[in-house]
Amino acid sequence: MTDTTRTPRHVAIIMDGNGRWAQQHGKERVFGHARGVESVRGAVKAAIRNGVGYLTIYAFSTENWGRPTEEIDALMELFCKSIAAEAPELRRQGVSLHIIGDTQGLSPEVREHIALAEQQTADGDKLVLIVALNYSSRWELTEAARAIAREASAGTLDPDAVTAETVGARLATAAWPDPDLLIRTSGECRLSNFLLWQLAYSELYFTEVLWPDFDEREFDKALDNYRQRDRRFGLIKN
Ligand code: FPP
């Protein structure tokens, strides 16, 4: 039976299909990314309205550096512009913004915009919005492994005492619960180096809808679908 009261605490999204959307509309790829920002706005609103506590979005992967320079530059400019423009509204909505990823690899300008927006929204208590920027799961896990190795060699961590919690506590997402639901748009059915550790027991929802067309109604549809899932976490359920 459908349990309409069950809402995921944490939703993660791989926002895919901006380029194809732009192509379908006879526009440059960057136009699709700009429209994608509107979908982010809708997802934030829908998350708050539904009582979702955490929303993580994949904005730029470490692999995305392989794209043409013009597209990367346009994306970075879009991040700066959007972060600065949206911060006051996010604050008003009670959203606290956090960036995860290898921020050292971002330009000083992007880093400044991030720091300012994180500061401006620090008090938000309705929704935690986590933006993965220059992020990849293998980067994050490698960093965690490095931290653990350093602590072990310094004698502050017993290698035999290392557990899954030890690893989880050294991930960029240590402060937050794992996602209950992962959404990927545009019909691609893969994880693309996104939250590989954290998605271990998440429900996966793939839709053909391209990210710029993923509006609040589509978000609600994904949540309705999630509410019909039978989560087992590896256990037997009657
Ligand atoms: C994937 O579509 C999308 C991206 C790599 C960029 C996502 C960024 C945004 C939606 C802007 C978000 C802004 C903020 C402030 C967080 P694609 O280019 O891979 O599309 P394609 O597969 O159709 O080519």
Side-chain angles (χ1 to χ4, degrees):
M1 209 175 76
T2 307
D3 180 356
T4 50
T5 60
R6 222 161 43 107
T7 294
R9 190 147 73 118
H10 185 170
V11 176
I13 308 181
I14 301 177
M15 312 180 287
D16 200 3
N18 294 348
R20 275 163 286 169
W21 187 92
Q23 196 178 27
Q24 283 174 13
H25 290 76
K27 309 261 191 195
E28 298 288 323
R29 292 177 60 81
V30 65
F31 192 81
H33 296 315
R35 280 298 292 254
V37 176
E38 288 180 33
S39 297
V40 172
R41 229 176 267 139
V44 166
K45 271 201 203 135
I48 295 173
R49 175 167 49 72
N50 279 285
V52 170
Y54 306 83
L55 178 66
T56 301
I57 55 174
Y58 205 2
F60 194 85
S61 76
T62 54
E63 287 79 22
N64 285 151
W65 293 111
R67 293 190 177 205
T69 317
E70 311 84 71
E71 184 174 350
I72 295 171
D73 290 348
L75 266 172
M76 292 300 156
E77 199 184 316
L78 185 64
F79 293 144
C80 286
K81 242 177 57 189
S82 310
I83 289 172
E86 301 297 328
E89 176 59 15
L90 291 175
R91 183 189 161 94
R92 201 193 59 73
Q93 293 178 97
V95 178
S96 69
L97 176 74
H98 302 266
I99 308 293
I100 56 167
D102 187 2
T103 48
Q104 292 309 310
L106 297 168
S107 74
E109 194 199 350
V110 176
R111 288 211 303 268
E112 274 164 33
H113 277 82
I114 290 170
L116 190 63
E118 284 182 333
Q119 232 173 43
Q120 286 172 333
T121 62
D123 294 335
D125 59 1
K126 284 237 162 36
L127 175 75
V128 177
L129 174 63
I130 302 148
V131 179
L133 205 52
N134 198 20
Y135 172 89
S136 83
S137 209
R138 289 185 177 177
W139 162 79
E140 182 187 37
L141 286 163
T142 305
E143 286 295 306
R146 215 177 266 147
I148 289 170
R150 259 193 237 112
E151 291 170 54
S153 76
T156 54
L157 182 66
D158 172 5
D160 291 324
V162 172
T163 62
E165 283 70 33
T166 318
V167 179
R170 282 153 186 80
L171 299 178
T173 54
W176 310 302
D178 288 342
D180 302 290
L181 171 66
L182 170 84
I183 299 170
R184 183 170 189 153
T185 57
S186 90
E188 310 291 351
C189 300
R190 52 179 175 266
L191 296 180
S192 300
N193 215 348
F194 187 50
L195 302 176
L196 300 180
W197 176 279
Q198 298 87 337
L199 294 173
Y201 287 103
S202 308
E203 295 296 323
L204 309 181
Y205 177 83
F206 299 107
T207 171
E208 295 288 329
V209 175
L210 304 177
W211 179 248
D213 289 329
F214 193 89
D215 56 14
E216 286 191 55
R217 249 191 14 199
E218 292 296 335
F219 192 97
D220 290 347
K221 249 164 73 179
L223 259 51
D224 282 344
N225 182 287
Y226 169 86
R227 291 184 181 110
Q228 293 164 37
R229 305 283 180 99
D230 181 19
R231 300 188 77 191
R232 293 170 191 249
F233 300 97
L235 304 170
I236 297 168
K237 258 183 162 179
N238 295 319

